[in-house]
């Protein structure tokens, strides 16, 4: 005999007609006890191998919002996650949100490899025990076998929450019984929420924690945000063969324009030999990432076809990947074209940097999701020919509106198959912005994170890229018409960005910008050590 406790009685009024059930109101909800499995049960739930009470929850289940935890520490952990997400989608689970990705030290059984942990939020019409069965089958398909409890496993999938329900049966306990003691579960779980509660279901999830401050208080009690980066818990983003912890230092992205009409260095690096020489220079000066663009995104730039863009890009890219200097460095393609992104990744590019955030070629979101590489979502209104129009320059609160519009693009990317733990955000300095608006963005990165965090805490933790290098607004401020003369102003701009929380700076002059980044990182470390607040 099983006991099942519910919250949300209204959804189950249609069950009251079943025979063999007695109901008793209790403080936690309803306690349903079933005495026998009627013929109606047997007909409706032929495949159910659990008790009658287990069957009850799987009869004509309405769509429910769910949270599922993922863990892996055997084999290719990222590939295990990718395959698990794909199989979940094929099995009746609509994934709407992803948490960040965490590398964590093992718990309980400590003599085993490090884990990757994450979580997803979604909806399903599967009943809870049907869902459990699906997840167990996915684990089996990905090679999980019976072994040591809490021991190594290629994939571990646990139901954290199922709608507003609290379930206790012989086969399933929801909320998962050990959530409350596990930082490696609570961290990604909290990521799935916003600082503003967005539904009654989320309210019930908070209530399950039995804390007045809900899951947020629980997370703080377990160490909270201050525990990230230490205590065996770090946020990571998979790039190439590495797990990038973007909190350690600022990374520098060097710009390589293959265009004849870019505002700063158009026409200088179209020849393969000149482009390769510039890459060697950028790397020698300390660039971590080389961002290669064959389509100009300056104001009023004409749009190339995919074939034209590839004709510029491919010969240079094929030469770059052959030089020894590029070993250990990351390559990014600056494109909004899905076909160009696909061909570039096939030839060794690690990151897709899309100034349109998927708006100019909607196919790019699905393509990048399938490619399994990080995706830079930048804020821009319109396209390069219209982005500086009066209409696209209208903001009542530029940071708040950029945050809202950026999150909409991030959410669209997630729904298209790009996990949030592969997304980098760029507020789009110089794109659809006037001088004062660019300055507000550079000074307002913390407020952009907070605004995004109202809807998704995971999204608010995404790495931020800023690219003010040599842009027109710096020339207006400093009265420098020649873009090359704007490098000192660029250093000031990236300094403001880094101190405000930027993790990647995209620049033309790597040497000077790297020095600025090192000083900023030292200042931030000192602030953290001394407990200073800004």
């Amino acid at each position: 005999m099983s006991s099942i406790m519910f919250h949300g009685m209204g959804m189950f009024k249609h069950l009251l007609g079943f025979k063999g059930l007695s109901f008793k109101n209790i403080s936690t909800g309803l306690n349903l006890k079933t005495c026998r499995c009627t013929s109606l049960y047997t007909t409706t739930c032929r495949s159910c191998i659990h008790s009658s009470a287990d069957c009850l929850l799987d009869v004509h289940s309405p769509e429910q919002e769910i949270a599922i935890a993922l863990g892996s520490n055997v084999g290719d952990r990222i590939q295990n996650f990718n395959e698990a997400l794909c199989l979940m989608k094929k099995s009746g689970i609509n994934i709407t949100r992803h948490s960040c990705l965490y590398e964590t030290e093992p718990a309980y059984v400590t003599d085993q490899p490090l884990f990757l942990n994450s979580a997803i939020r979604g909806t399903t019409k599967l009943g809870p025990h049907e869902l459990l069965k699906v997840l167990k089958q996915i684990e089996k398909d990905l090679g999980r076998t019976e072994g040591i409890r809490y021991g190594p496993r290629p994939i571990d999938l646990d139901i954290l929450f199922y709608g507003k329900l609290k379930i206790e049966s012989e086969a399933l306990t929801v909320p998962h019984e050990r959530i409350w003691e596990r930082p490696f579960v609570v961290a990604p779980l909290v990521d799935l929420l916003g600082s503003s509660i967005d539904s009654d279901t989320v309210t019930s999830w908070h209530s399950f924690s039995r804390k007045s401050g809900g899951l947020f208080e629980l997370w703080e009690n377990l160490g909270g945000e201050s525990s990230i980066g230490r205590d065996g818990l770090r946020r990571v983003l998979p790039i190439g063969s590495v797990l990038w912890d973007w909190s350690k230092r600022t990374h520098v992205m060097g710009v390589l324009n293959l265009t004849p009409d870019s505002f700063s260095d158009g026409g200088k690096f179209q020849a393969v030999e000149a482009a390769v020489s510039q890459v060697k220079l950028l790397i020698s000066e300390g660039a971590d990432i080389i961002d290669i663009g064959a389509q100009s995104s300056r104001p009023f730039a004409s749009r190339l076809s995919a074939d034209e863009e590839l004709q510029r890009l491919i010969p240079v890219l094929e030469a770059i990947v052959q030089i020894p200097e590029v070993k250990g460095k990351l390559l990014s393609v600056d494109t909004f074209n899905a076909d160009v992104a696909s061909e570039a990744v096939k030839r060794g590019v690690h990151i897709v940097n899309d100034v349109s955030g998927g708006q100019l070629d909607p196919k790019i979101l699905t393509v990048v999701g399938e490619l399994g590489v990080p995706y830079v979502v930048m804020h821009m209104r319109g396209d390069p020919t219209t982005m500086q129009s009066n209409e696209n320059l209208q903001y009542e609160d530029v940071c708040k509106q950029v945050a809202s519009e950026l999150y909409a693009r991030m959410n669209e990317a997630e729904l298209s198959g790009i996990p949030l733990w592969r997304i980098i955000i760029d507020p789009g300095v110089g794109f659809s912005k006037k001088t004062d608006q660019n300055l507000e963005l550079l000074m307002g990165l913390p407020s952009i994170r907070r605004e995004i965090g109202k809807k998704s805490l995971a999204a608010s933790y995404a790495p931020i890229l800023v690219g003010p290098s040599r842009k027109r607004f710096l020339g207006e401020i400093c009265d420098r018409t020649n873009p090359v003369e704007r490098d000192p102003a660029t250093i000031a701009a990236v300094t403001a960005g880094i101190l405000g929380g930027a993790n990647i700076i995209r620049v033309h002059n790597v040497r000077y910008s790297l020095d600025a980044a090192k000083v900023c990182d030292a200042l931030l470390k000192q602030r953290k050590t001394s407990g200073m607040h800004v």
Side-chain angles (χ1 to χ4, degrees):
M1 186 175 292
S2 298
S3 172
I4 305 176
M5 289 180 287
F6 298 72
H7 291 275
M9 171 62 178
M11 294 184 295
F12 292 90
K13 287 182 178 178
H14 66 285
L15 297 175
L16 295 177
F18 282 115
K19 297 178 180 179
L21 300 177
S22 62
F23 300 83
K24 181 180 180 182
N25 285 309
I26 57 175
S27 59
T28 56
L30 288 173
N31 188 340
L32 283 72
K33 293 186 178 180
T34 183
C35 301
R36 60 188 177 88
C37 182
T38 68
S39 60
L40 178 59
Y41 269 131
T42 306
T43 302
T44 306
C45 294
R46 289 178 180 176
S47 63
C48 188
I49 60 173
H50 304 295
S51 69
S52 303
D54 295 345
C55 293
L56 174 63
L57 281 174
D58 287 348
V59 179
H60 306 304
S61 179
E63 188 169 71
Q64 299 284 355
E65 190 160 19
I66 56 174
I68 297 172
L70 298 86
S72 173
N73 76 332
V74 172
D76 186 334
R77 299 172 296 172
I78 294 296
Q79 186 59 26
N80 292 340
F81 273 27
N82 289 339
E83 291 184 18
L85 294 173
C86 182
L87 290 171
M88 280 193 272
K89 292 173 186 176
K90 292 179 178 179
S91 302
I93 300 168
N94 176 38
I95 297 174
T96 58
R97 294 193 188 187
H98 305 75
S99 76
C100 297
L101 188 66
Y102 295 85
E103 187 171 54
T104 66
E105 292 181 357
Y108 309 117
V109 178
T110 58
D111 185 17
Q112 57 177 316
L114 296 176
F115 274 85
L116 284 185
N117 292 99
S118 189
I120 63 98
R121 183 171 162 184
T123 58
T124 187
K125 291 184 179 180
L126 297 170
H129 293 88
E130 290 178 302
L131 178 60
L132 177 65
K133 185 177 179 182
V134 162
L135 297 181
K136 292 300 181 187
Q137 185 60 50
I138 292 172
E139 291 179 340
K140 183 178 179 181
D141 291 344
L142 295 183
R144 182 170 178 180
T145 57
E146 292 297 329
I148 303 171
R149 192 181 187 193
Y150 307 128
R153 72 288 306 268
I155 195 70
D156 187 21
L157 303 173
D158 288 322
I159 303 171
L160 301 180
F161 293 124
Y162 183 92
K164 302 177 183 179
L165 305 183
K166 188 172 184 182
I167 305 168
E168 293 180 6
S169 75
E170 294 170 4
L172 180 63
T173 300
V174 176
H176 190 277
E177 58 188 339
R178 306 200 78 164
I179 288 178
W180 323 116
E181 65 188 51
R182 297 175 172 179
F184 61 86
V185 175
V186 176
L189 174 58
V190 169
D191 283 352
L192 300 175
L193 311 176
S195 59
S196 297
I197 294 176
D198 57 14
S199 70
D200 290 343
T201 298
V202 170
T203 299
S204 71
W205 293 356
H206 279 292
S207 72
F208 290 147
S209 71
R210 298 182 180 178
K211 303 288 184 183
S212 60
L215 293 167
F216 300 140
E217 182 180 341
L218 174 68
W219 172 225
E220 286 302 313
N221 291 346
L222 290 173
E225 190 62 20
S226 64
S227 66
I228 303 298
R230 59 181 181 85
D231 299 335
L233 186 68
R234 66 186 189 117
R235 286 195 189 100
V236 293
L237 187 150
I239 307 181
S241 60
V242 302
L243 293 174
W244 175 43
D245 180 349
W246 62 92
S247 69
K248 296 301 183 184
R249 64 177 178 88
T250 302
H251 284 61
V252 179
M253 174 184 278
V255 178
L256 178 66
N257 287 319
L258 308 181
T259 57
D261 56 345
S262 289
F263 76 93
S264 173
D265 49 14
K268 288 186 177 182
F269 309 117
Q270 287 183 278
V272 172
E273 185 177 334
V276 169
S277 178
Q278 179 66 4
V279 169
K280 290 180 178 179
L281 175 63
L282 294 171
I283 291 174
S284 72
E285 292 182 342
D288 301 291
I289 309 166
I290 305 298
D291 190 43
I292 310 167
Q295 161 72 64
S296 177
S297 56
R298 66 171 177 80
F300 310 110
S302 58
R303 182 170 177 174
L304 301 177
S305 68
D307 286 342
E308 290 173 316
E309 194 175 345
L310 287 168
Q311 285 172 12
R312 292 179 182 175
L313 175 67
I314 297 305
V316 172
L317 179 57
E318 289 180 340
I320 289 172
V321 297
Q322 297 300 320
I323 63 175
E325 290 86 349
V326 83
K327 184 178 180 180
K329 302 297 180 179
L330 298 172
L331 299 178
S332 169
V333 62
D334 182 356
T335 186
F336 47 73
N337 189 297
D339 293 337
V340 173
S342 181
E343 291 299 320
V345 171
K346 288 177 184 176
R347 288 166 172 80
V349 161
H350 306 96
I351 302 167
V352 175
N353 181 11
D354 179 3
V355 297
S356 80
Q359 296 182 95
L360 297 184
D361 184 354
K363 290 190 304 179
I364 199 169
L365 298 178
T366 301
V367 167
V368 173
E370 293 169 352
L371 292 170
V373 296
Y375 181 61
V376 181
V377 177
M378 197 193 80
H379 176 270
M380 177 175 67
R381 291 175 172 177
D383 60 37
T385 64
T386 63
M387 64 182 182
Q388 296 302 113
S389 68
N390 287 334
E391 180 182 359
N392 285 329
L393 294 174
Q394 298 303 312
Y395 298 90
E396 292 184 8
D397 183 325
V398 66
C399 289
K400 185 174 183 178
Q401 288 173 260
V402 165
S404 177
E405 293 166 25
L406 255 183
Y407 178 70
R409 301 315 307 154
M410 297 173 78
N411 186 240
E412 184 67 23
E414 277 197 274
L415 295 175
S416 299
I418 305 175
L420 192 135
W421 39 264
R422 290 195 190 275
I423 293 177
I424 298 165
I425 59 175
D426 180 345
V429 172
F431 291 81
S432 314
K433 320 288 188 308
K434 296 186 290 189
T435 295
D436 60 334
Q437 294 162 346
N438 289 316
L439 297 175
E440 286 186 57
L441 286 183
L442 287 170
M443 296 294 289
L445 297 182
S447 69
I448 290 175
R449 285 198 188 275
R450 285 193 298 272
E451 195 65 32
I452 291 175
K454 291 178 182 178
K455 298 178 180 179
S456 166
L457 288 174
S460 75
Y461 298 137
I464 291 181
L465 182 155
V466 293
S469 184
R470 297 181 178 176
K471 291 197 170 161
R472 181 187 300 272
F473 79 99
L474 298 177
E476 291 177 356
I477 294 170
C478 300
D479 193 22
R480 301 289 183 184
T481 56
N482 184 348
V484 177
E485 295 179 355
R486 300 170 189 165
D487 285 342
T490 296
I491 291 172
V494 299
T495 295
I498 296 168
L499 294 180
N503 309 103
I504 306 171
I505 53 172
R506 182 181 183 274
V507 296
H508 298 82
N509 189 316
V510 168
R511 180 191 296 175
Y512 294 159
S513 299
L514 177 59
D515 283 351
K518 288 178 177 178
V519 172
C520 289
D521 289 346
L523 289 169
L524 291 170
K525 183 178 179 180
Q526 182 62 29
R527 177 200 293 175
K528 187 174 182 179
T529 302
S530 63
M532 294 169 58
H533 297 282
V534 176

